[in-house]
């Protein structure tokens, strides 16, 4: 596995190449490479591809955020001549001095898939959406509406141009969009006191007070992101559509939730074939302000980093039956905490009726359960508590075959790979310091 070594605070760490299957574009390989800003540098690279008979189907560029004198290039190319491509990548790295990252290719046996090490690296895949964005399927309610399609492109452009560290651009929503939001907001809010979990109902009034949650107003992602950071360190990032499971879960490892800004079509305010801002803000956001749920969500993300594809599928299924469609116990009753339930007027009532099958959350079984994306779920899984769900997830994560463990460092906003004695010593020192604070605090409250 190709890797590059970097230095930070005097310590050496490795960044591995990103090698991932592309489920949406068969036979297409994507690369990101950076070049020094010199006359003819890009032409030399493109000539190399041409000489080897490899066709480029897409190319875009941007100034490098890491090195001011470099540009980064994203390209799609046909994957017919893989042996020649291997030679080109080696040539780019050794002869031209380019930094190359593969963004889609079938993995070699025993290769650990690339994963982001720093929060800035989420920029690399945030625009690699699988569906929707500015393009709509023929059965989408807004497919034949040119005004809606143009509006979706505006939202997609915001997401495509966003980079980590920037404030999330504010959107002036139309009266029609606010009317759609108001319909959904009013109907769902009437159910929350009796159907939503305690954590959701505890946070929702705070969102109304501090983030502009109202029937006549669609809140801004920037305001909500700042609120979440003050509660649990979670933040929002605009996205144009659906990401792959691997990419989406990787964001959670950094306590970053990729959120849409567009809203469903006005013709069907109680239906959407895709996540929209009603789903994100009414379903997901309240729970991300709860410390226990935020940690559970992050641990799903951490478990996904470097995991094989079959475990990514299992973790995505766990996410589906918990974060999206989970139920939890509150005393002798069941309540909803999954965002897919909390943002669906119909399914929020259905899930607590006597119609679906209710099962205890056992991740070994939950992770392989098939599910439906177009109808109400026939099966829901019940967590005893978020604490119990976290413990089960930690045990499940231990079964993932990867040659290291990971932890998130909130001070540097980096993923630390625990695969050597020095890393383990640093972790032990950190834990020892925290235990010292705990012991000191316990003595003072006796």
């Amino acid at each position: 596995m190709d890797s590059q070594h970097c230095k930070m605070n005097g310590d050496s760490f490795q960044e591995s190449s990103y090698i991932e299957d592309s489920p949406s574009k068969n036979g297409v390989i994507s690369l990101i490479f950076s070049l020094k800003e010199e006359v003819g540098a890009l032409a030399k690279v493109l000539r190399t591809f041409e000489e080897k008979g490899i066709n480029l189907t897409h190319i875009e560029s941007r100034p490098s955020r890491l090195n001011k004198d470099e540009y980064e290039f994203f390209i799609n190319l046909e994957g017919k001549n893989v042996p020649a491509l291997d030679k080109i990548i080696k040539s780019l790295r050794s002869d031209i001095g380019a930094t190359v990252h593969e963004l889609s290719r079938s993995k070699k046996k025993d290769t650990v898939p690339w994963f982001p090490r720093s929060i800035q690296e989420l920029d690399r895949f945030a625009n690699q959406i699988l569906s929707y964005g500015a393009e709509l399927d023929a059965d989408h309610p807004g497919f034949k509406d040119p005004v809606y399609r143009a509006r979706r492109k505006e939202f997609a452009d915001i997401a495509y141009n966003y980079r980590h560290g920037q404030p999330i651009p504010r959107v002036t929503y139309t009266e029609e969009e606010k009317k759609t939001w108001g319909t959904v907001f009013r109907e769902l809010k009437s159910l929350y006191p009796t159907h939503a979990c305690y954590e959701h109902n505890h946070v929702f009034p705070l969102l109304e007070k501090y983030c502009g949650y109202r029937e006549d107003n669609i809140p801004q992602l920037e305001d909500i992101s700042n609120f979440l950071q003050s509660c649990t360190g979670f933040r929002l990032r605009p996205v144009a559509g659906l990401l792959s499971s691997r990419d989406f879960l990787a964001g959670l490892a950094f306590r970053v939730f990729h959120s849409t800004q567009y809203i469903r079509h006005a013709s069907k305010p109680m239906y959407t074939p895709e996540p929209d801002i009603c789903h994100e803000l009414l379903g997901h956001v309240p729970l991300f302000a709860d410390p226990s749920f935020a940690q559970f969500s992050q641990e799903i993300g951490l478990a996904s980093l470097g995991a094989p594809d079959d475990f990514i599928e299992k973790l995505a299924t766990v996410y589906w039956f918990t974060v999206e469609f989970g139920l939890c116990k509150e005393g002798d009753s069941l309540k909803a905490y999954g965002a897919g339930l909390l943002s669906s007027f119909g399914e929020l009532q259905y899930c607590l009726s006597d119609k679906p099958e209710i099962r205890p959350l056992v991740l070994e079984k939950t992770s392989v359960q098939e599910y439906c994306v177009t109808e109400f779920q026939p099966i829901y899984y019940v967590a005893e508590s978020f604490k119990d769900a976290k413990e089960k997830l930690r045990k499940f994560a231990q079964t993932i075959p990867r040659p290291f463990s990971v932890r998130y460092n909130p001070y540097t906003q980096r993923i630390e790979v625990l695969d050597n004695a020095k890393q383990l010593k640093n972790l032990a020192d950190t834990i020892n310091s925290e235990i010292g604070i705990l012991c000191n605090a316990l003595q003072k409250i006796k």
Side-chain angles (χ1 to χ4, degrees):
M1 177 175 66
D2 292 317
S3 62
Q4 61 184 88
H5 289 76
C6 304
K7 283 279 186 178
M8 175 167 286
N9 298 329
D11 294 330
S12 176
F13 64 93
Q14 288 187 332
E15 285 190 359
S16 55
S17 294
Y18 189 172
I19 309 176
E20 182 176 356
D21 293 331
S22 178
S24 60
K25 297 178 180 180
N26 294 328
V28 175
I29 293 174
S30 299
L31 301 177
I32 285 181
F33 60 90
S34 57
L35 295 172
K36 290 186 177 180
E37 190 176 1
E38 298 175 348
V39 176
L42 178 60
K44 184 176 181 181
V45 172
L46 297 180
R47 190 159 50 249
T48 302
F49 283 109
E50 182 181 2
E51 291 172 352
K52 297 296 184 180
I54 296 180
N55 296 324
L56 273 66
T57 59
H58 176 80
I59 184 169
E60 58 185 82
S61 66
R62 70 179 185 198
S64 173
R65 291 175 57 86
L66 299 177
N67 299 299
K68 293 183 179 180
D69 62 340
E70 292 186 355
Y71 266 76
E72 293 178 349
F73 298 89
F74 169 78
I75 61 174
N76 286 335
L77 45 91
E78 295 179 356
K80 297 179 180 179
N81 193 351
V82 173
L85 178 62
D86 290 333
K87 293 179 181 179
I88 289 176
I89 292 176
K90 184 177 180 180
S91 174
L92 290 176
R93 287 173 173 155
S94 60
D95 301 338
I96 302 177
T99 301
V100 186
H101 299 278
E102 300 180 49
L103 291 174
S104 54
R105 184 141 63 114
S106 297
K107 293 182 289 297
K108 301 174 184 178
K109 184 178 180 181
D110 300 327
T111 296
V112 176
W114 178 91
F115 56 87
R117 298 289 187 90
S118 70
I119 196 169
Q120 291 85 358
E121 289 183 326
L122 299 183
D123 286 347
R124 290 186 181 174
F125 57 72
N127 292 335
Q128 302 240 351
I129 60 173
L130 303 181
S131 61
Y132 297 114
E135 300 299 323
L136 305 178
D137 289 344
D139 58 352
H140 193 286
F143 179 75
K144 295 181 179 180
D145 185 342
V147 176
Y148 183 78
R149 292 174 68 94
R151 183 67 165 157
R152 285 292 294 266
K153 186 179 186 306
E154 293 178 26
F155 287 110
D157 288 343
I158 291 175
Y160 285 138
N161 292 318
Y162 179 81
R163 298 294 178 266
H164 171 74
Q166 298 174 345
I168 302 173
R170 295 181 178 273
V171 174
T172 301
Y173 288 96
T174 67
E175 290 302 316
E176 182 178 65
E177 289 168 338
K178 287 190 283 188
K179 182 179 179 181
T180 301
W181 162 272
T183 300
V184 179
F185 183 91
R186 181 176 60 254
E187 297 294 332
L188 286 171
K189 188 179 177 182
S190 70
L191 291 179
Y192 288 156
T194 53
H195 289 67
C197 65
Y198 165 81
E199 291 80 2
H200 187 280
N201 285 327
H202 175 69
V203 171
F204 202 84
L206 300 177
L207 293 168
E208 292 179 304
K209 182 178 181 179
Y210 297 110
C211 298
Y213 273 53
R214 299 193 310 272
E215 185 177 330
D216 63 349
N217 178 66
I218 302 178
Q220 298 292 331
L221 294 192
E222 177 69 8
D223 296 336
I224 299 168
S225 187
N226 291 334
F227 173 79
L228 290 178
Q229 288 181 62
S230 70
C231 294
T232 61
F234 249 91
R235 69 184 72 204
L236 303 182
R237 177 186 177 119
V239 69
L242 296 172
L243 293 171
S244 71
S245 295
R246 184 182 292 279
D247 291 346
F248 179 81
L249 294 177
L252 296 180
F254 295 86
R255 298 205 172 200
V256 172
F257 179 73
H258 289 81
S259 172
T260 57
Q261 280 182 295
Y262 55 78
I263 196 165
R264 61 197 65 184
H265 194 260
S267 64
K268 293 186 176 181
M270 304 308 291
Y271 166 77
T272 176
E274 60 190 318
D276 74 332
I277 199 164
C278 297
H279 172 76
E280 319 286 37
L281 302 195
L282 299 175
H284 281 293
V285 163
L287 272 297
F288 284 134
D290 178 76
S292 187
F293 183 83
Q295 187 174 8
F296 171 72
S297 300
Q298 183 181 29
E299 294 210 12
I300 295 179
L302 289 169
S304 76
L305 300 180
D309 286 345
D310 55 337
F311 274 86
I312 291 294
E313 184 176 350
K314 290 180 179 180
L315 287 169
T317 303
V318 169
Y319 179 91
W320 179 268
F321 282 113
T322 54
V323 179
E324 288 291 352
F325 291 95
L327 300 178
C328 63
K329 290 185 178 180
E330 283 188 9
D332 297 329
S333 62
L334 296 180
K335 300 292 183 180
Y337 72 89
L341 303 175
L342 294 167
S343 60
S344 170
F345 184 78
E347 192 161 4
L348 185 53
Q349 298 175 83
Y350 165 83
C351 71
L352 298 181
S353 70
D354 58 0
K355 296 179 181 178
E357 179 182 351
I358 306 299
R359 298 179 182 176
L361 184 65
V362 179
L363 296 191
E364 290 75 15
K365 296 180 179 179
T366 305
S367 64
V368 295
Q369 176 64 46
E370 295 183 356
Y371 56 85
C372 179
V373 298
T374 58
E375 300 175 357
F376 291 172
Q377 301 301 306
I379 300 170
Y380 297 100
Y381 289 90
V382 180
E384 295 291 330
S385 65
F386 293 146
K387 180 180 179 181
D388 177 66
K390 279 189 295 185
E391 291 302 318
K392 289 179 177 178
L393 180 63
R394 287 168 182 165
K395 292 179 180 179
F396 182 75
Q398 292 175 1
T399 67
I400 298 176
R402 57 183 182 184
F404 52 80
S405 295
V406 297
R407 70 181 291 265
Y408 177 64
N409 186 325
Y411 304 111
T412 62
Q413 297 182 320
R414 295 190 64 88
I415 297 296
E416 296 178 353
V417 177
L418 307 176
D419 60 355
N420 59 67
K422 185 174 182 179
Q423 289 284 3
L424 297 181
K425 182 180 182 301
N426 291 340
L427 176 59
D429 290 343
T430 300
I431 295 173
N432 186 53
S433 176
E434 295 295 320
I435 291 177
I437 295 173
L438 175 62
C439 292
N440 185 43
L442 288 172
Q443 291 177 351
K444 291 182 177 181
I445 64 174
K446 285 183 179 179

